[in-house]
Amino acid sequence: MRGLVVLVALVLAGLVAPGAQAGQLVEVDLPSEGNVDAAQIRFNGENHPEQLKANVLLPDGFDPAKRYPVLYLLHGAGESYTTWVRKTKADEVTKGLDAIVVMPDAATGFYVNHYNGGRRGSPGWERYFLDEVIPAIEKRFPIRPGRRWHAVAGFSMGGYGSAYLASQRPDYFGSSGPMSGFVSVQRPEVPLAFRAASGQDYEAIFGPPDGPYTVGHDPVALAPNLKYTRMFVITGNGVPNPAMPQPASPASAVSGALGEAEFGLQAQDFTRALRRAGATVTHTNLLGIHDHPYWTDHLRRLLRWDPFKPVEESP
């Protein structure tokens, strides 16, 4: 009875959407105050509301009087805040996880403040995520303090975001899990392939490939920032696993195979840099292409690895 009373009080306070129950999915508005103008963004997906939102999975038996670990799951380019549940089955995979799972929107912004010819910061996805999303989530939901209890993971563009944002806030995130991640920004083939893969202009986001802004946003170059962060790096090798569901078309199968082979090479670059920096890293390369059934499996493996194991709190 007490738990029901507390949940009702939380709903009335606006911290949980009306009708949300323990273990259910909650949609929250996460507007930006000056970092990202939602009216200027091309959102991904049909019928996407023209405002910034996040899906939040509450754990089974959610008690608003208790504090929980938090796992941020970041989506890829061409996806949205609904993707982790709608396509990647995060609700099924995280069932039984005693943590709050947050899935914010990032359009196709790559979780950074865009270079924009040196003007920078429009849109400012990095500042939105670090300065607005995290504080808003901590205000609305009972998040446990301590970097051990804060983890971030993501696939493809979200794999980049999980590596880059963890490198910018090693004081906050204790673990990071890039899955099929875009984690080696300065590989020579990347600028040419970037537009075809994401629909975005590489230099508009990162600047010249050999410029200081690009270096400062390359997870490989930033690996020393992750020395005290537990890292879970996982990719496929570009070869389809016959046990997995197959892509809807031959074209998507080919692009998924080529893309994942490239991300496998990027993961090797990143893992080498992490190990040189002295970071604790688990690197896994499996049969697989760039597709959601594989990321569902990667999430299962991440949870078995346990993103909430002890880390140094004040390295």
Side-chain angles (χ1 to χ4, degrees):
M1 184 65 181
R2 176 181 174 276
L4 179 60
V5 171
V6 174
L7 183 56
V8 170
L10 192 62
V11 168
L12 292 176
L15 301 183
V16 174
Q21 302 294 328
Q24 285 195 351
L25 184 67
V26 179
E27 185 181 90
V28 298
D29 291 334
L30 290 177
S32 175
E33 297 294 334
N35 288 307
V36 177
D37 182 353
Q40 302 299 318
I41 294 168
R42 180 177 60 82
F43 284 105
N44 302 312
E46 295 180 3
N47 301 320
H48 192 295
E50 292 187 357
Q51 57 185 310
L52 291 161
K53 291 180 174 287
N55 271 342
V56 178
L57 283 166
L58 301 176
D60 295 339
F62 174 71
D63 178 358
K66 172 186 172 181
R67 292 199 172 199
Y68 292 89
V70 63
L71 171 62
Y72 284 90
L73 293 179
L74 309 182
H75 67 75
E79 308 286 0
S80 78
Y81 74 101
T82 68
T83 296
W84 269 103
V85 168
R86 187 165 46 87
K87 294 183 180 180
T88 320
K89 302 181 181 178
D91 52 339
E92 296 177 20
V93 176
T94 62
K95 188 173 179 58
L97 179 69
D98 196 30
I100 292 172
V101 180
V102 181
M103 296 156 282
D105 209 330
T108 312
F110 281 83
Y111 305 94
V112 302
N113 297 341
H114 291 197
Y115 182 70
N116 284 334
R119 296 186 303 276
R120 309 186 186 186
S122 180
W125 287 105
E126 175 188 344
R127 296 271 56 89
Y128 168 68
F129 186 88
L130 296 179
D131 298 346
E132 298 189 274
V133 172
I134 290 175
I137 291 298
E138 295 208 336
K139 183 178 179 181
R140 294 185 187 204
F141 299 99
I143 304 300
R144 233 179 135 160
R147 63 192 297 267
R148 170 184 178 175
W149 306 111
H150 308 148
V152 59
F155 65 79
S156 196
M157 178 186 85
Y160 171 82
S162 67
Y164 174 68
L165 294 172
S167 79
Q168 299 307 290
R169 287 295 307 274
D171 61 312
Y172 187 82
F173 290 111
S175 293
S176 172
M179 307 169 185
S180 304
F182 171 56
V183 291
S184 187
V185 175
Q186 292 184 281
R187 286 177 65 85
E189 69 274 13
V190 168
L192 289 175
F194 190 80
R195 182 179 287 279
S198 69
Q200 296 285 72
D201 185 303
Y202 177 97
E203 292 202 11
I205 295 178
F206 297 107
D210 58 350
Y213 202 73
T214 303
V215 176
H217 289 79
D218 186 349
V220 171
L222 295 167
N225 289 12
L226 296 164
K227 179 177 180 178
Y228 298 100
T229 303
R230 294 177 63 241
M231 298 298 302
F232 181 82
V233 180
I234 185 168
T235 62
N237 61 0
V239 179
N241 184 339
M244 287 286 191
Q246 299 305 303
S249 70
S252 58
V254 171
S255 63
L258 293 174
E260 196 67 7
E262 165 64 22
F263 290 128
L265 296 174
Q266 293 192 19
Q268 292 177 21
D269 292 349
F270 187 41
T271 297
R272 282 192 293 266
L274 288 168
R275 288 178 174 155
R276 284 196 301 268
T280 300
V281 54
T282 298
H283 177 207
T284 304
N285 186 253
L286 305 163
L287 276 176
I289 64 174
H290 208 66
D291 202 5
H292 289 276
Y294 297 94
W295 302 321
T296 302
D297 179 60
H298 293 180
L299 181 57
R300 288 194 184 98
R301 291 171 182 269
L302 173 79
L303 297 184
R304 287 199 296 267
W305 173 80
D306 188 358
F308 304 121
K309 281 185 176 178
V311 294
E312 288 191 55
E313 286 301 329
S314 301

XYZ file of all heavy atoms in Angstrom, residues 7 56 68 73 96 102 140-141 148-149 169 172 184 189 210 213 226 238 259 274 292 295 306:
207
model
N 3.925 6.043 -5.364
C 3.852 6.145 -6.814
C 2.827 7.189 -7.231
O 3.053 7.991 -8.135
C 3.508 4.784 -7.430
C 3.461 4.722 -8.965
C 4.781 5.184 -9.554
C 3.108 3.343 -9.435
N 11.910 5.894 -21.136
C 12.540 5.455 -19.889
C 11.877 4.158 -19.459
O 10.648 4.088 -19.330
C 12.388 6.517 -18.777
C 13.017 6.021 -17.480
C 13.028 7.837 -19.204
N 18.204 4.031 -7.860
C 18.552 2.982 -8.808
C 19.779 3.363 -9.646
O 20.013 4.548 -9.931
C 17.394 2.741 -9.782
C 16.165 2.142 -9.148
C 15.178 2.960 -8.610
C 15.985 0.766 -9.085
C 14.043 2.424 -8.031
C 14.857 0.213 -8.506
C 13.885 1.049 -7.975
O 12.761 0.514 -7.402
N 20.969 4.266 -23.047
C 21.116 3.570 -24.323
C 20.922 4.580 -25.447
O 19.860 5.210 -25.558
C 20.087 2.440 -24.441
C 20.253 1.267 -23.471
C 19.150 0.230 -23.693
C 21.621 0.614 -23.608
N 13.997 -7.624 -15.539
C 14.698 -8.149 -14.373
C 15.899 -7.332 -13.958
O 16.467 -7.567 -12.893
N 17.455 4.671 -19.752
C 17.051 5.924 -20.392
C 17.495 5.911 -21.845
O 18.675 5.659 -22.144
C 17.666 7.137 -19.666
C 17.222 8.438 -20.333
C 17.285 7.129 -18.192
N 13.987 13.923 -12.226
C 12.702 13.246 -12.363
C 12.677 11.858 -11.746
O 11.615 11.370 -11.349
C 12.330 13.110 -13.841
C 12.077 14.420 -14.538
C 11.590 14.187 -15.956
N 11.512 15.441 -16.687
C 10.731 15.635 -17.742
N 9.954 14.664 -18.164
N 10.725 16.794 -18.370
N 13.840 11.198 -11.716
C 13.873 9.801 -11.272
C 14.933 9.628 -10.190
O 15.938 10.347 -10.164
C 14.180 8.878 -12.458
C 13.158 8.943 -13.547
C 13.372 9.719 -14.684
C 11.960 8.251 -13.441
C 12.432 9.803 -15.689
C 10.999 8.322 -14.445
C 11.236 9.098 -15.573
N 30.069 4.278 -10.332
C 29.814 2.844 -10.519
C 28.405 2.599 -11.057
O 28.184 1.666 -11.832
C 29.993 2.112 -9.192
C 29.510 0.658 -9.254
C 29.592 -0.054 -7.934
N 29.082 -1.412 -8.036
C 29.115 -2.306 -7.056
N 29.629 -1.980 -5.870
N 28.634 -3.522 -7.242
N 27.459 3.425 -10.655
C 26.052 3.178 -10.939
C 25.545 3.905 -12.181
O 24.346 3.916 -12.443
C 25.212 3.560 -9.719
C 25.679 2.878 -8.476
C 26.285 3.451 -7.402
C 25.618 1.479 -8.189
N 26.601 2.499 -6.453
C 26.207 1.278 -6.918
C 25.128 0.365 -8.882
C 26.305 0.028 -6.322
C 25.226 -0.888 -8.292
C 25.815 -1.048 -7.030
N 32.970 12.801 -19.603
C 32.521 12.785 -18.214
C 32.976 11.496 -17.521
O 32.152 10.717 -17.030
C 30.996 12.928 -18.130
C 30.466 14.311 -18.439
C 30.898 15.360 -17.428
N 30.595 14.996 -16.061
C 29.426 15.234 -15.453
N 28.457 15.853 -16.104
N 29.234 14.869 -14.199
N 31.554 10.876 -14.175
C 30.154 10.465 -14.012
C 29.933 9.014 -14.441
O 29.292 8.251 -13.731
C 29.241 11.389 -14.820
C 27.766 11.133 -14.567
C 27.132 11.670 -13.458
C 27.014 10.333 -15.428
C 25.789 11.420 -13.210
C 25.671 10.082 -15.193
C 25.063 10.632 -14.080
O 23.733 10.381 -13.826
N 36.435 5.402 -34.466
C 37.747 5.824 -34.978
C 37.498 6.849 -36.080
O 37.495 6.540 -37.273
C 38.537 4.626 -35.498
O 39.866 4.991 -35.840
N 39.366 6.389 -44.623
C 38.185 6.111 -45.433
C 36.910 6.748 -44.874
O 35.889 6.822 -45.569
C 37.980 4.593 -45.574
C 37.559 3.866 -44.307
C 38.731 3.458 -43.424
O 39.861 3.938 -43.663
O 38.502 2.655 -42.502
N 41.915 16.334 -40.363
C 43.158 16.423 -39.605
C 43.183 17.623 -38.663
O 44.215 17.964 -38.101
C 44.355 16.484 -40.546
C 44.269 17.675 -41.510
O 43.198 18.318 -41.571
O 45.266 17.943 -42.205
N 39.621 20.064 -34.014
C 38.273 19.751 -33.529
C 37.969 18.264 -33.735
O 37.371 17.611 -32.880
C 37.242 20.613 -34.255
C 35.930 20.762 -33.511
C 35.843 21.556 -32.380
C 34.775 20.118 -33.951
C 34.647 21.712 -31.695
C 33.574 20.274 -33.284
C 33.506 21.070 -32.154
O 32.315 21.206 -31.477
N 39.665 7.590 -20.677
C 38.868 6.433 -20.262
C 39.688 5.418 -19.469
O 39.263 4.276 -19.286
C 38.258 5.769 -21.506
C 37.269 6.664 -22.271
C 37.007 6.102 -23.668
C 35.970 6.811 -21.500
N 31.284 -8.623 -40.079
C 30.813 -8.418 -41.445
C 30.286 -9.670 -42.117
O 29.832 -9.610 -43.264
N 29.432 -2.293 -43.730
C 29.512 -1.360 -42.615
C 30.089 -2.007 -41.367
O 30.944 -1.428 -40.692
N 42.819 2.055 -26.044
C 42.388 1.895 -24.653
C 43.407 1.102 -23.849
O 43.743 1.473 -22.716
C 41.026 1.194 -24.603
C 39.813 2.005 -25.054
C 38.597 1.092 -25.226
C 39.490 3.121 -24.061
N 19.820 -4.756 -36.247
C 19.257 -4.749 -34.895
C 19.278 -6.091 -34.163
O 19.509 -6.108 -32.946
C 17.830 -4.191 -34.936
C 17.802 -2.728 -35.220
N 17.965 -1.768 -34.256
C 17.662 -2.054 -36.400
C 17.914 -0.564 -34.804
N 17.738 -0.717 -36.104
N 22.418 -6.208 -32.271
C 22.525 -5.284 -31.141
C 21.667 -5.753 -29.965
O 21.995 -5.498 -28.817
C 22.174 -3.866 -31.583
C 23.066 -3.414 -32.688
C 24.417 -3.668 -32.805
C 22.704 -2.677 -33.852
N 24.905 -3.124 -33.966
C 23.889 -2.513 -34.627
C 21.502 -2.137 -34.314
C 23.886 -1.825 -35.845
C 21.497 -1.444 -35.519
C 22.679 -1.299 -36.277
N 27.928 -6.969 -16.960
C 27.501 -6.164 -15.810
C 28.109 -4.764 -15.839
O 29.247 -4.549 -15.398
C 27.843 -6.844 -14.484
C 27.223 -6.098 -13.291
O 26.573 -5.046 -13.502
O 27.379 -6.575 -12.159
